[in-house]
Amino acid sequence: MTQIKLCGNFRLQDVAYLNQVQPDFDGIILAPGHRRSVSRELAQMMRAQLASNIPLVGVFVNQSLAEILSYQGIIQYAQLHGQEDEALVAAIQAHGLPVIQVMTPKQQVSTQAAYRLVDAGAGSGQTFDWQQLTPSTTPTILAGGLNATNLEQAIHQGQPAVVDISSGSEINGVKDLVQMQILVEKVRKQVCHH
Ligand SMILES: O=C(O)c1ccccc1N[C@@H]1O[C@H](COP(=O)(O)O)[C@@H](O)[C@H]1O
């Protein structure tokens, strides 16, 4: 049963869209300085307005343990999208916050994180050869340039536990309700074919 994470949401309007289309995860960028970065205040408002059944994933890039843990209560997962090591994964999880550990297709390593996320870029819409995904005992999230056109093929070839989409849910750089609806429908239909 492949699930779907819609990531890089940055407006309260996006939360309204998410509540309508009901993905399995919502992701927000908590690393500063990126186009889709959100403030702590906005993150708090997003969590308050997001449907309670949708976990909120905070995306971090090389940030400290203290900073990541300061978001506990707002986020349900920490996604580590930099060069974070397993010691940090263990420390975060020891505090009760599950981790999504990001790795590149060329450096697929084992992790004690709740999920591993294999991505060729970081919200850049860059794809890779999904047949490069190696088997893992850790559930795999497949990311990188997924969109309504290539999603079904990516699921078929990569057989991930979760697909993660940011750029592919946008039109002209802004999250789009119709794109989100199409993506979630495609994943739900794909599940029925398995
Ligand atoms: O989206 C960003 O700006 C971003 C910044 C820093 C780290 C990760 C970021 N995005 C994440 O990258 C993957 C794949 O995105 P895409 O579908 O290729 O656009 C996803 O997890 C994004 O949230």
Side-chain angles (χ1 to χ4, degrees), residues 5-148:
K5 169 171 172 274
L6 292 177
C7 205
N9 299 294
F10 58 90
R11 306 172 304 167
L12 288 176
Q13 181 67 57
D14 302 337
V15 175
Y17 293 167
L18 293 162
N19 288 340
Q20 207 171 320
V21 305
Q22 290 282 308
D24 299 291
F25 302 87
D26 166 19
I28 54 174
I29 309 301
L30 294 175
H34 298 271
R35 185 176 75 78
R36 304 179 181 96
S37 300
V38 305
S39 67
R40 181 181 299 271
E41 293 68 31
L42 181 54
Q44 273 166 334
M45 282 191 276
M46 290 175 107
R47 177 62 276 179
Q49 295 187 20
L50 182 67
S52 59
N53 61 307
I54 304 176
L56 184 60
V57 178
V59 179
F60 300 92
V61 180
N62 300 329
Q63 287 156 271
S64 70
L65 173 64
E67 188 176 2
I68 294 166
L69 292 179
S70 73
Y71 284 93
Q72 259 187 319
I74 301 175
I75 58 170
Q76 285 66 58
Y77 289 86
Q79 176 174 321
L80 307 182
H81 220 112
Q83 284 76 47
E84 298 87 352
D85 60 19
E86 279 296 295
L88 184 63
V89 173
I92 297 168
Q93 294 201 145
H95 283 84
L97 183 60
V99 170
I100 297 171
Q101 175 68 307
V102 177
M103 52 194 75
T104 65
K106 288 192 174 144
Q107 284 186 312
Q108 295 179 53
V109 290
S110 62
T111 177
Q112 61 195 297
Y115 291 90
R116 64 173 193 151
L117 187 154
V118 185
D119 182 15
S124 58
Q126 192 185 332
T127 55
F128 66 96
D129 178 1
W130 304 304
Q131 283 167 339
Q132 286 177 5
L133 275 183
T134 57
S136 173
T137 50
T138 309
T140 298
I141 303 178
L142 175 58
L146 301 179
N147 55 45

